[in-house]
Amino acid sequence: MKQIKVNGMPEKAISDEEMISIDIWLPKELNTVCTNLLFCKNRYWLNTENIEFDYKGEEGGYKIFSKTFKFNQYESRPEYVHYCCFEIRDDNGTTKWIKVNENKQPIIDEKKEHWVFTVYKEYEIPSWIKGAIMYQIFVDRFCKDEEFIKDNKTDIEGREYIKWDKLPPKWASENGIFKNNEFYRGNLRGITKKLDYLCSLHVEVLYLTPIMYSKSNHRYDTINYEKIDPDVGTKKDLIELCEEARKRGMHIILDIVLNHTSNEAIYIKTKPEWYLRNERGEFYYWWDFDGMVVLDKGNQELQTYLFGQEGAAGILDQYLDCGIDGFRIDVADELNDYTLAVCKEVLNRRNRETILYGEVWDNAVKKEQELRQRKFLLGKWLTSVMNYPVMDALLRFIRYGDNQYLKNTLEEIYKDYPTPAINSLMNIIGTHDTPRAINILVGEYMQEEYQKGDSVYPHIWDMEVNSPWKYYENGRERFDTQGFRQWEANNDLTLEMYETGKKLLKVLVILQYFLPGVPCIYYGDEVGVTGYKDPFNRKSFPWNLKKDEELLHFYRELGDIKFKNKDVLGEGDFNLIYLENDRMIFERVFGKSKILVAINRTKFSIKNLKIPSEYKRGQYKIIYSLNDSTKNLLNSYGAIILA
């Protein structure tokens, strides 16, 4: 029997307004009289809907059924990930199903993969984010303005103030507890002083970790939403930072925590009904951290306080009034649908050129909750997310050569995510929640295998797994945090490890800058700051110490190239040309503009590059060469960029 053929099934996310045409060619021997496209908004085939196809005739031994349609013709809310298959019925009334196997080949009545594609409501991303470079600042550790400290005399009881160039403490504060009460006093005026430095990197977006009055140095445990932490500054300082940034063509994004507050928040006593409680009337604590109490996001009064109502501004409005350009929402996937939708509404009401990022560590499109899809990126909630899946895959590839995992991850993300979300993805290679990228690339206790049999292994940076600090006591899994921190403090990278790590880091950063999305520099990576996990990934910026000037020059060069090629890198299509365990070659295409990137992740030279012939011709020049690489030779840890 002839092979079934299906033409026109979407191979990437589509807008609900997009007209699609699908043909299914069925061998005449099947005696098909009726064909429907079944689609469902979950993988469990609950509440299935269908589209009846039209019979178009016969050709070459096939019966052809076809349909041209938009998804919004068939349902009121079409924006979902759709799991699809065809249902066919023959002249005897027998029903069969056509799905797709692991080789993407249509087959009959086999329980293989469904066709899966995303339908989203069309939305625009801010023009200023396209092709931009982002810089994440852990506010307490980036830069402090001494005059602000002298003028404001902000010493706060319970805080231990650390000299700028000292390492974070490795010992528990008391009773084995790490209180995160050590402050370096980085502040808003310090950031303002360094805007020209950031401009030299071609940074156009600053992402600041929380600045609201909080208990801990990370400030993810808010005490008062309305007040900027006294050690950070005032709203006047924030306004000045936004104004000075805008003069330089830069935009400010603030981190905001809407899921929980500190256990010392002003609302605990005045508004206890704003918090979730268990059946015993006790507060819920976020992941059992006793300093963070979970808010009841369904409380109407809390919603009004945070998001405002007609004629009254909410918390988000107060910071937008200072001139910021959007927010990054902490633990976005732990918030309910309503909260995320209202956040986006507040921003859209104020200015369509604002942005809303979410912290989501998995595939944000396929995320589910109680058999229900979360619609993070489908046009109503977030603009985009932190790109942790690709971060993990890139780090595994550069360190271990795991090309298949990288290929699978890129295919999945770029197929599932809407185009606006892809173009604004926060492309991270390290954050305040992970070890520094250079440590992941050469450091100890990183996870090499991501999957083994049916057991899914953690991210590459999850050092706690299979480590000397993991043990069991009375049948319960424990972790020796004190011992781990002492090891981190005493076992940072050796000089030899650093030099190898820097070579790998450069190759990784080239991928970070030239893949679709917005590369985000974690403060200090550009000058060689090292560190494993919290708190050593949060060292103070070494303004007064020796910095890696060669690495800084590399970041500036790369930033200059990216800035000069904003169109193709901001909106261009991604085409993977070649990927093996030693190299990766891809292109970005936007209209007639093209850029090709080829990298070598190994210490060995590569002669047969497998670059398409068109790029070997004279019209495409090398605009950047790493380690004297050429069109014919990628040297050790080398790369070329052609345009």
Side-chain angles (χ1 to χ4, degrees):
M1 188 170 68
K2 293 177 178 291
Q3 184 67 55
I4 297 168
K5 296 188 291 185
V6 177
N7 302 320
M9 289 295 281
E11 295 183 357
K12 63 178 183 177
I14 59 171
S15 162
D16 66 335
E17 292 283 349
E18 187 173 338
M19 190 73 75
I20 59 175
S21 295
I22 300 175
D23 299 324
I24 178 167
W25 292 52
L26 299 168
K28 288 178 63 176
E29 301 95 293
L30 293 175
N31 298 318
T32 305
V33 296
C34 179
T35 299
N36 294 322
L37 176 65
L38 303 182
F39 59 96
C40 186
K41 296 171 184 175
N42 57 65
R43 70 189 71 189
Y44 313 104
W45 292 105
L46 303 174
N47 302 318
T48 302
E49 300 185 53
N50 71 83
I51 299 174
E52 184 175 349
F53 273 44
D54 302 319
Y55 176 60
K56 293 297 184 181
E58 297 183 11
E59 181 179 328
Y62 284 95
K63 284 187 173 183
I64 306 168
F65 295 83
S66 179
K67 194 71 174 179
T68 298
F69 63 97
K70 299 178 182 179
F71 264 92
N72 63 9
Q73 294 175 243
Y74 289 91
E75 50 184 336
S76 58
R77 295 191 304 162
E79 62 277 0
Y80 279 94
V81 177
H82 291 276
Y83 296 82
C84 301
C85 73
F86 288 95
E87 178 186 72
I88 62 173
R89 192 163 61 251
D90 63 21
D91 51 10
N92 293 320
T94 303
T95 299
K96 296 180 180 179
W97 293 270
I98 297 174
K99 302 178 182 179
V100 62
N101 65 15
E102 62 272 13
N103 297 318
K104 300 181 180 179
Q105 178 62 50
I107 53 176
I108 292 179
D109 201 22
E110 291 279 346
K111 294 195 178 298
K112 300 289 186 180
E113 294 296 322
H114 314 305
W115 280 279
V116 183
F117 54 88
T118 304
V119 179
Y120 66 95
K121 205 159 194 65
E122 189 67 58
Y123 64 99
E124 289 292 327
I125 62 175
S127 57
W128 50 265
I129 201 68
K130 298 175 183 177
I133 296 172
M134 187 182 295
Y135 192 92
Q136 181 188 356
I137 291 177
F138 192 87
V139 177
D140 186 57
R141 310 291 162 87
F142 180 64
C143 184
K144 68 175 178 179
D145 179 68
E146 296 283 2
E147 291 301 316
F148 168 78
I149 297 169
K150 290 177 184 177
D151 293 345
N152 291 273
K153 299 176 182 177
T154 60
D155 286 17
I156 296 173
E157 184 179 353
R159 295 186 177 184
E160 179 184 348
Y161 293 104
I162 307 292
K163 289 186 178 179
W164 189 259
D165 294 322
K166 282 195 171 185
L167 280 177
K170 60 183 176 182
W171 303 103
S173 303
E174 57 184 52
N175 301 323
I177 297 173
F178 291 91
K179 298 172 68 174
N180 291 315
N181 66 337
E182 306 88 13
F183 287 76
Y184 286 76
R185 306 185 95 148
N187 50 47
L188 293 173
R189 290 192 196 174
I191 298 171
T192 303
K193 285 170 56 176
K194 296 300 181 180
L195 288 178
D196 288 338
Y197 164 79
L198 295 168
C199 281
S200 76
L201 293 163
H202 285 286
V203 168
E204 294 180 271
V205 185
L206 295 185
Y207 154 39
L208 310 186
T209 56
I211 64 172
M212 296 170 187
Y213 186 29
S214 303
K215 182 178 178 180
S216 303
N217 52 42
H218 52 69
R219 299 190 174 93
Y220 286 94
D221 50 356
T222 311
I223 289 177
N224 186 345
Y225 284 109
E226 298 184 53
K227 183 179 180 181
I228 292 179
D229 194 285
D231 279 328
V232 171
T234 64
K235 288 189 176 176
K236 180 181 177 183
D237 295 321
L238 179 59
I239 291 169
E240 181 183 355
L241 171 61
C242 292
E243 289 175 347
E244 290 300 316
R246 202 166 294 278
K247 288 177 185 176
R248 295 165 173 80
M250 301 169 78
H251 300 262
I252 308 291
I253 297 171
L254 289 186
D255 221 327
I256 189 166
V257 188
L258 302 175
N259 183 66
H260 50 267
T261 71
S262 167
N263 61 348
E264 296 180 9
I266 62 172
Y267 319 103
I268 294 285
K269 291 183 178 179
T270 61
K271 298 292 181 181
E273 66 274 14
W274 287 5
Y275 294 88
L276 289 177
R277 296 174 184 267
N278 61 24
E279 62 277 3
R280 296 185 299 276
E282 301 165 333
F283 289 129
Y284 276 107
Y285 290 90
W286 184 72
W287 290 88
D288 293 328
F289 287 104
D290 58 7
M292 299 183 185
V293 191
V294 178
L295 289 161
D296 178 5
K297 277 74 69 178
N299 183 283
Q300 185 60 55
E301 187 180 19
L302 172 62
Q303 292 171 1
T304 300
Y305 175 73
L306 293 172
F307 309 122
Q309 58 185 2
E310 190 172 348
I315 293 299
L316 270 62
D317 290 295
Q318 291 182 30
Y319 289 91
L320 290 165
D321 286 342
C322 293
I324 69 166
D325 297 284
F327 294 94
R328 177 264 193 188
I329 299 181
D330 186 58
V331 295
D333 55 352
E334 298 185 34
L335 300 177
N336 59 31
D337 298 357
Y338 177 82
T339 299
L340 293 172
V342 174
C343 280
K344 193 69 161 41
E345 286 176 11
V346 171
L347 267 64
N348 287 345
R349 182 179 72 236
R350 293 293 302 261
N351 183 352
R352 287 281 176 177
E353 283 286 284
T354 52
I355 202 162
L356 189 64
Y357 279 103
E359 180 190 17
V360 182
W361 287 58
D362 308 304
N363 182 323
V365 165
K366 290 182 177 173
K367 195 89 173 173
E368 294 181 355
Q369 186 178 55
E370 298 176 350
L371 305 184
R372 181 174 52 82
Q373 288 181 26
R374 306 299 309 276
K375 299 195 292 181
F376 295 117
L377 299 180
L378 302 186
K380 291 186 176 181
W381 296 357
L382 305 173
T383 309
S384 198
V385 291
M386 302 176 79
N387 199 0
Y388 277 105
V390 171
M391 170 185 169
D392 188 24
L394 286 174
L395 286 162
R396 287 186 191 280
F397 170 64
I398 296 298
R399 173 152 188 176
Y400 299 120
D402 194 341
N403 56 296
Q404 192 59 51
Y405 182 50
L406 177 58
K407 183 173 186 251
N408 293 345
T409 303
L410 293 177
E411 283 182 354
E412 178 182 350
I413 296 300
Y414 297 156
K415 175 181 178 292
D416 290 348
Y417 284 21
T419 299
I422 292 172
N423 290 338
S424 51
L425 272 170
M426 191 187 293
N427 282 343
I428 48 180
I429 57 171
T431 72
H432 62 286
D433 287 324
T434 69
R436 293 273 174 176
I438 194 170
N439 286 67
I440 298 174
L441 292 174
V442 292
E444 299 183 68
Y445 301 108
M446 301 301 158
Q447 306 301 307
E448 181 172 359
E449 295 186 27
Y450 69 94
Q451 187 173 347
K452 188 176 182 180
D454 294 329
S455 300
V456 177
Y457 278 61
H459 300 104
I460 185 175
W461 55 80
D462 286 338
M463 301 172 64
E464 298 88 347
V465 179
N466 302 324
S467 73
W469 308 283
K470 182 179 175 181
Y471 66 98
Y472 290 87
E473 183 177 83
N474 299 324
R476 295 185 63 186
E477 184 179 300
R478 305 282 188 180
F479 189 77
D480 179 13
T481 304
Q482 179 74 75
F484 178 57
R485 286 201 174 186
Q486 290 180 49
W487 179 87
E488 287 184 288
N490 299 326
N491 291 274
D492 205 349
L493 304 184
T494 64
L495 180 59
E496 182 180 2
M497 292 168 74
Y498 177 82
E499 289 302 322
T500 301
K502 183 167 74 169
K503 293 172 184 175
L504 290 168
L505 180 65
K506 287 181 179 179
V507 175
L508 173 64
V509 172
I510 288 174
L511 298 183
Q512 179 194 21
Y513 270 50
F514 287 85
L515 286 173
V518 180
C520 181
I521 305 168
Y522 182 47
Y523 81 103
D525 276 359
E526 77 277 14
V527 294
V529 175
T530 61
Y532 284 103
K533 286 206 164 186
D534 170 22
F536 303 102
N537 59 347
R538 304 173 182 179
K539 296 173 186 172
S540 58
F541 194 99
W543 298 111
N544 307 317
L545 301 176
K546 184 179 179 181
K547 297 181 282 294
D548 192 324
E549 296 293 342
E550 180 204 335
L551 191 56
L552 178 59
H553 178 70
F554 164 79
Y555 268 88
R556 284 173 171 161
E557 277 191 301
L558 222 56
D560 188 55
I561 294 169
K562 184 166 176 62
F563 183 77
K564 291 175 180 176
N565 293 276
K566 267 194 160 194
D567 287 348
V568 64
L569 296 178
E571 299 183 80
D573 292 333
F574 167 81
N575 297 320
L576 181 62
I577 294 171
Y578 191 79
L579 178 59
E580 288 296 336
N581 63 356
D582 59 351
R583 78 197 83 171
M584 181 178 183
I585 303 172
F586 64 90
E587 65 178 354
R588 301 292 306 281
V589 181
F590 185 68
K592 295 182 178 180
S593 299
K594 288 187 177 183
I595 284 183
L596 181 132
V597 177
I599 63 95
N600 172 12
R601 56 161 292 276
T602 73
K603 62 183 178 180
F604 305 103
S605 296
I606 298 174
K607 292 181 180 179
N608 182 16
L609 302 193
K610 301 186 184 299
I611 290 176
S613 57
E614 65 173 309
Y615 287 100
K616 294 181 179 179
R617 295 194 285 268
Q619 70 185 88
Y620 289 99
K621 307 290 185 183
I622 295 178
I623 59 174
Y624 183 79
S625 171
L626 181 61
N627 296 339
D628 299 318
S629 296
T630 68
K631 290 183 180 182
N632 300 311
L633 178 69
L634 286 181
N635 284 317
S636 170
Y637 305 113
I640 54 171
I641 302 170
L642 303 175

